[in-house]
């Protein structure tokens, strides 16, 4: 799709844009679903300055703080979305295109909010929105996720992982001063990470992905989110540690841009047991 036009049901509101969209995607968030009374909706982003209304200017509904939804006052057709998080662009509804067949989505966003009866097998990437857990939540499910994800280490590392000493109550206490983030599917955690702000870095701990959800880029997504959080906290780098025996983890973190910055030994050991990795943000 390289430029195009669209209109509402009655034809009063219309628009035109130039050049290819910044992105094309399906959105599953609840607010977009309710706005369209549809199981999900489809958008494409166009930079401001490269689009214009060519018919009647639509009405605007502020559906939440910082969000403006454009619609036709005559027929009610949703036309576009603007949000402070995307201040440089407008998001047009793909189904409003004069020729919707030219729409070429590349991913699903806010997949963590998809409806259970929406079953798709289109091969597109599925992006979930990270959610920070509150101290008053039940940490049992995320603790179970971490324990399951770390179980393979039991026969490979020495000393044993600290995950065996982790409890749901301890995680709730940590959530009050640290950041525990999860990616969810149908309300259940499928990936998690604990972020601990330090004086000069953000420490990443207990990065876990459920077995059935591996290979979908969830670990990378959480690491990217950690980098975003580090920037927001004015911390210049991410740091983490992994065990010496877990070479596949060393390769995975290296592929994400981390570099080895040191080795250390647990108390009572005369050999390195952990490797430190760092990523500048």
């Amino acid at each position: 799709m390289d430029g195009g036009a669209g209109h509402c049901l009655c034809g009063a509101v219309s628009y035109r844009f130039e050049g290819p969209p910044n992105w094309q995607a399906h959105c599953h968030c609840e607010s977009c679903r309710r706005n369209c009374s549809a199981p999900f909706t489809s958008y494409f982003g166009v930079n401001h300055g490269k689009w214009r209304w060519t018919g009647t200017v639509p009405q605007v509904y502020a559906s939440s703080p910082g969000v403006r939804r454009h619609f036709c006052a005559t027929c009610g057709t949703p036309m576009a979305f603007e949000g402070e998080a995307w201040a440089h662009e407008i998001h047009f509804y793909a189904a409003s295109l004069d020729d919707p067949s030219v729409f070429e989505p590349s991913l699903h966003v806010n997949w963590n909010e998809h409806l259970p009866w929406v079953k798709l097998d289109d091969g597109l990437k599925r992006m979930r929105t990270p959610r920070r857990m509150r101290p008053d939540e039940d940490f049992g499910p995320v603790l179970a996720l971490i324990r399951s994800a770390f179980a393979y280490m039991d026969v490979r590392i020495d000393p044993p992982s600290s995950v065996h000493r982790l409890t749901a109550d301890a995680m709730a206490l940590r959530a009050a001063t640290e950041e525990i983030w999860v990616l969810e599917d149908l309300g259940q955690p499928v990936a998690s990470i604990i972020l601990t702000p330090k004086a000069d870095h953000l420490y990443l701990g207990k990065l876990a992905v459920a077995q059935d959800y591996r290979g979908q880029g969830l670990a990378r997504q959480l690491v990217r989110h950690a980098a975003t959080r580090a920037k927001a906290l004015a911390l210049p780098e991410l740091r983490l540690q992994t065990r010496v025996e877990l070479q596949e983890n060393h390769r995975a973190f290296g592929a994400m841009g981390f570099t080895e910055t040191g080795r250390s030994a647990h108390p009572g050991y005369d050999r390195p047991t952990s490797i430190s990795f760092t990523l500048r943000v």
Side-chain angles (χ1 to χ4, degrees):
M1 180 164 48
D2 189 1
H7 62 274
C8 66
L9 177 62
C10 72
V13 175
S14 58
Y15 63 86
R16 182 168 294 279
F17 65 96
E18 302 170 358
N22 296 334
W23 51 266
Q24 303 176 63
H26 301 302
C27 179
H28 294 260
C29 78
E30 181 182 8
S31 59
C32 285
R33 286 193 276 110
R34 290 194 177 280
N35 177 243
C36 298
S37 291
F40 61 92
T41 192
S42 305
Y43 288 114
F44 59 95
V46 178
N47 282 341
H48 293 311
K50 293 192 174 183
W51 68 273
R52 67 186 187 280
W53 300 116
T54 53
T56 301
V57 175
Q59 294 293 303
V60 174
Y61 169 57
S63 60
S64 58
V67 170
R68 292 159 45 89
R69 295 182 182 274
H70 303 262
F71 66 97
C72 176
T74 301
C75 64
T77 302
M79 296 300 296
F81 168 102
E82 288 185 273
E84 290 181 352
W86 303 273
H88 64 291
E89 64 183 12
I90 192 170
H91 305 168
F92 287 110
Y93 288 89
S96 71
L97 284 163
D98 289 349
D99 180 9
S101 67
V102 300
F103 179 66
E104 297 181 347
S106 61
L107 75 162
H108 295 270
V109 297
N110 297 307
W111 181 255
N112 50 294
E113 298 184 49
H114 79 279
L115 293 170
W117 44 268
V118 172
K119 302 183 185 299
L120 304 172
D121 189 22
D122 55 14
L124 298 182
K125 186 176 181 179
R126 299 174 178 182
M127 296 293 291
R128 295 169 173 82
T129 303
R131 183 179 70 84
R132 183 176 178 178
M133 296 190 68
R134 305 183 312 273
D136 61 346
E137 291 189 63
D138 177 12
F139 282 84
V142 71
L143 176 59
L145 163 67
I146 295 171
R147 286 177 173 170
S148 175
F150 278 58
Y152 79 100
M153 299 181 187
D154 288 344
V155 296
R156 297 182 57 187
I157 65 173
D158 182 37
S161 171
S162 62
V163 72
H164 295 292
R165 302 190 300 274
L166 194 60
T167 67
D169 288 343
M171 292 189 70
L173 289 174
R174 293 182 67 174
T177 57
E178 303 173 45
E179 300 184 6
I180 300 180
W181 292 87
V182 292
L183 296 175
E184 297 169 308
D185 193 60
L186 301 178
Q188 294 299 310
V190 296
S192 65
I193 195 170
I194 301 177
L195 305 181
T196 306
K198 301 290 186 178
D200 59 351
H201 69 277
L202 185 63
Y203 184 79
L204 283 57
K206 299 298 182 286
L207 175 60
V209 178
Q211 179 66 41
D212 291 344
Y213 291 83
R214 292 177 184 173
Q216 299 181 20
L218 302 189
R220 282 181 174 271
Q221 184 180 349
L222 285 175
V223 170
R224 288 196 299 269
H225 182 66
T228 299
R229 292 297 304 139
K231 292 177 182 177
L233 295 168
L235 297 174
E237 61 187 34
L238 304 179
R239 295 183 192 175
L240 59 82
Q241 287 187 316
T242 187
R243 294 302 185 87
V244 169
E245 298 93 339
L246 305 178
Q247 291 88 356
E248 67 272 31
N249 286 3
H250 310 164
R251 292 191 293 271
F253 291 126
M256 294 183 200
F258 285 86
T259 56
E260 180 179 337
T261 51
R263 300 196 173 204
S264 58
H266 284 75
Y269 287 76
D270 59 2
R271 61 170 177 82
T273 55
S274 294
I275 301 178
S276 297
F277 286 87
T278 298
L279 174 65
R280 299 285 298 181
V281 297

